[in-house]
Amino acid sequence: WITGVLLIAAFILIFIILAITFRSLRDLALGVGGLFLTLMWVDGFESVMGFAPTQMSQFIPVMLVGLAVDYVIHMILRYREEMLHCPEVARAMRLAVLSVGSALLLATFTTMVGFTSNAVSPMSVLSDFGLTVAFGILSAFLIFTLLVPSLKLLWDGRLVARGKEPLPRSARREGDEAGVQLLDRFLTRGALMAERQPAAVLGVVAVITLVMGSLATGLSTEF
């Protein structure tokens, strides 16, 4: 029941984030649907491999939801950005997949390597966990760089053929989305702080690192 509660909470938060960011029921449906499909693929993988449920495996769905949602945000927002400069659906989607897809491919590969390294562990709980998460990351990459763009291309292509605007009203002007504006303001302040007061930033990071490093020495190394 813990997994169910955590998963529901994760989906509620993700739903709110995607709704604020996309402001489009179609894109929201693609994002949430892709997440559900990713979890279905992972469940099938665990069944095929014969992995038994463990205390660690119950957190895999929640972890994958948090990791996979990045893919759809990057892909959809980049597609919208390309549509603002070139309002041709097929060309905009091709440029979005080629640009963001290459970055997501590298991120997927490095993340899979990190989790797959658990496969050499003599503890089956850790090895099964690592392989399952790695497969989930690969599934999310395939779904959000192949399936979702294909559905988006067909969907928006039909809207254009009917003489309708494929982009939501909030996305027709660059940077006009509430979620994007909030992130832009946050990142701008961070960039200005690093540029104008680099010594202060380094000092704060150094102090935090020393404090956390000293606290880390008190961790127990036993199971």
Side-chain angles (χ1 to χ4, degrees), residues 20-93:
I20 295 175
T21 302
F22 291 156
R23 294 195 173 189
S24 168
L25 290 178
R26 295 192 302 271
D27 294 342
L28 180 60
L30 288 175
V32 175
L35 293 177
F36 273 113
L37 193 58
T38 300
L39 298 183
M40 290 177 60
W41 286 19
V42 171
D43 287 342
F45 175 78
E46 289 180 309
S47 178
V48 170
M49 299 297 292
F51 292 160
T54 63
Q55 289 182 335
M56 294 189 66
S57 65
Q58 66 180 340
F59 298 109
I60 292 178
V62 181
M63 180 182 299
L64 289 177
V65 167
L67 293 173
V69 71
D70 297 343
Y71 289 17
V72 66
I73 292 176
H74 289 310
M75 187 60 64
I76 296 297
L77 291 186
R78 184 51 191 259
Y79 164 73
R80 290 183 178 183
E81 182 180 352
E82 294 295 342
M83 282 289 291
L84 292 174
H85 301 291
C86 176
E88 182 183 343
V89 174
R91 177 177 172 81
M93 184 59 73

